[in-house]
Amino acid sequence: MATQDRLIESTQELLWERGYVGTSPKAIQQRAGVGQGSMYHHFEGKPDLAAAALRRSAEQMRALAEADLAGPGTAYERVASYLGRERDALRGCRIGRMAQDPEVVADPRLRAPVEETLGWLRGRIAEVIAEGQAAGELRPGAEPADLAAAVVAVVQGGYVLARAADSAEPFEQAVRGALALLAAHRRD
Amino acid sequence: MATQDRLIESTQELLWERGYVGTSPKAIQQRAGVGQGSMYHHFEGKPDLAAAALRRSAEQMRALAEADLAGPGTAYERVASYLGRERDALRGCRIGRMAQDPEVVADPRLRAPVEETLGWLRGRIAEVIAEGQAAGELRPGAEPADLAAAVVAVVQGGYVLARAADSAEPFEQAVRGALALLAAHRRD
DNA sequence: GTCTATATGGTGATAGAC
DNA sequence: GTCTATCACCATATAGAC
């Protein structure tokens, strides 16, 4: 694997595990098995490398979500497929995690992939819900964008609850709760 | 105000703004207007001071939530009061934020107030929901603990969406979405 | 392209005077 | 109790040899 790719992949892992402030160039180099100068040859610095890593993580997250949401089945089933996908609750979300970091939020190059990915996800789920309403499967009235934001928030917040409890259980409870509410929201 | 209190309060603010890794003893001292030695006289070190600050934030968060949840009204109204409380979405949750930090999660003294507060909150909301079910106000069948976890996750996840978007809007959407789902979950 | 050496400033804490 | 030194180490980067 090329040096750039090893650097990007190591940075993806470290950002996920330790966040942006907690990730040092030195740690990246060591995990990638690469010297100081090599990193600064391929990237301008930590922000540049982190931006590349976040763009790649964003692509991957989007592909995973799209696989669930574009699948067969009713609107409820597709959203349920997204919500119920197997996740490592204690690891959290590679993208959502970044939103807590002030340095990420303050740097447009770092925030952009985070904003775009979560924004796209909310929009995509809102589409599915709107389709369900149009097909008469889901009750009309509720704003699809609101329901979609709630669905995404349950996942992101579920990670918070799981890490706080050091257990996947609250994450699974939150997903089950959201599914119960959505299921009851179908038309009879 | 006593020196200890100024140190604790400054630490509460900095933990909220910058997280645990991003908060240095030096920054705490400067904000509190206190010298190096003074801080180490009153506290053993950064973890000790952070633990004190987190315990205080936890108490405050709990009191705020209880004020909404113990209020008058139906179960739906009390949960809606909690969900709809005015919040600074871009600041996020003082307690939930800590769950992202590996050093907090790894240190039992730091994780304890986070775990206990969010655990208490889920349990307290589950009680309210169970009361609503018993009173025939809410549909039976759904597990109160699951619905409660979903409610708390919507708030915690709403903060993530807001910070990612650099706008309070997605937070408010998520809350509206959760309220719409809960409202439809009442018995007719 | 990759390496080692070096630089500047911050982190978290201790020592000891006052 | 509070202050100012001082410390060892890490973060982030630059310089320049190979």
Side-chain angles (χ1 to χ4, degrees):
Chain A
M1 192 193 269
T3 300
Q4 285 105 317
D5 284 327
R6 284 215 311 282
L7 283 166
I8 289 181
E9 209 164 273
S10 301
T11 305
Q12 286 183 282
E13 292 172 11
L14 283 163
L15 288 178
W16 198 353
E17 293 168 19
R18 315 185 43 78
Y20 184 75
V21 206
T23 295
S24 69
K26 190 179 183 180
I28 295 170
Q29 293 147 21
Q30 287 177 341
R31 187 168 297 206
V34 152
Q36 295 266 84
S38 196
M39 184 191 119
Y40 285 100
H41 173 75
H42 291 288
F43 299 93
E44 290 171 19
K46 174 176 162 176
D48 186 40
L49 177 48
L54 287 182
R55 281 196 300 274
R56 189 172 293 186
S57 291
E59 279 171 27
Q60 293 167 347
M61 176 175 164
R62 202 158 150 157
L64 278 176
E66 181 63 13
D68 290 323
L69 295 168
T74 64
Y76 169 80
E77 285 165 353
R78 287 188 282 158
V79 173
S81 167
Y82 167 75
L83 268 173
R85 184 210 308 159
E86 192 163 352
R87 291 176 171 93
D88 188 343
L90 290 175
R91 274 191 105 181
C93 174
R94 292 183 284 187
I95 293 297
R97 181 196 214 300
M98 298 300 129
Q100 295 303 322
D101 200 306
E103 292 194 43
V104 170
V105 170
D107 183 338
R109 288 187 60 204
L110 296 176
R111 190 167 64 79
V114 178
E115 172 166 23
E116 287 163 13
T117 304
L118 291 174
W120 168 83
L121 183 57
R122 288 189 283 122
R124 188 70 185 83
I125 292 176
E127 276 177 20
V128 173
I129 290 175
E131 286 169 27
Q133 288 180 337
E137 172 205 345
L138 296 174
R139 301 190 192 189
E143 190 63 46
D146 292 353
L147 299 179
V151 166
V152 178
V154 161
V155 173
Q156 295 294 326
Y159 287 131
V160 171
L161 301 184
R163 290 181 60 97
D166 195 22
S167 155
E169 176 62 10
F171 182 93
E172 290 156 12
Q173 288 181 320
V175 166
R176 281 199 303 268
L179 286 174
L181 289 170
L182 278 172
H185 212 253
R186 286 175 296 184
R187 277 188 139 163
D188 305 315
Chain B
M1 193 194 270
T3 300
Q4 284 105 317
D5 284 326
R6 284 216 310 282
L7 282 166
I8 289 181
E9 211 164 272
S10 300
T11 306
Q12 286 184 281
E13 292 172 12
L14 283 164
L15 287 178
W16 198 352
E17 292 168 19
R18 317 186 41 78
Y20 183 76
V21 205
T23 296
S24 69
K26 189 178 184 181
I28 295 171
Q29 292 147 21
Q30 286 177 341
R31 186 169 296 205
V34 152
Q36 294 266 84
S38 196
M39 184 191 119
Y40 285 100
H41 173 76
H42 292 288
F43 299 93
E44 289 171 19
K46 176 176 162 177
D48 187 40
L49 177 48
L54 287 182
R55 281 196 300 273
R56 188 171 293 185
S57 291
E59 279 170 28
Q60 292 167 348
M61 175 174 163
R62 201 158 152 157
L64 278 176
E66 181 63 12
D68 291 323
L69 294 169
T74 63
Y76 169 81
E77 284 166 353
R78 287 189 281 157
V79 173
S81 167
Y82 166 75
L83 268 172
R85 184 210 307 158
E86 191 163 351
R87 291 177 171 93
D88 188 344
L90 290 175
R91 273 192 105 182
C93 174
R94 292 184 284 186
I95 293 297
R97 181 197 214 298
M98 297 300 129
Q100 295 302 324
D101 200 306
E103 293 194 41
V104 170
V105 171
D107 183 338
R109 288 186 62 203
L110 296 176
R111 190 168 64 80
V114 178
E115 172 167 22
E116 287 163 13
T117 305
L118 291 174
W120 169 83
L121 183 57
R122 288 189 283 123
R124 187 71 185 82
I125 292 176
E127 275 177 23
V128 173
I129 290 175
E131 285 170 28
Q133 288 181 338
E137 173 205 348
L138 296 175
R139 302 191 192 188
E143 191 63 46
D146 292 353
L147 298 179
V151 166
V152 178
V154 161
V155 173
Q156 296 294 326
Y159 287 131
V160 171
L161 301 184
R163 290 180 61 97
D166 195 22
S167 155
E169 176 62 11
F171 182 93
E172 290 157 11
Q173 288 181 319
V175 166
R176 281 199 303 268
L179 286 173
L181 289 171
L182 278 172
H185 212 250
R186 287 175 296 184
R187 277 188 137 163
D188 304 316

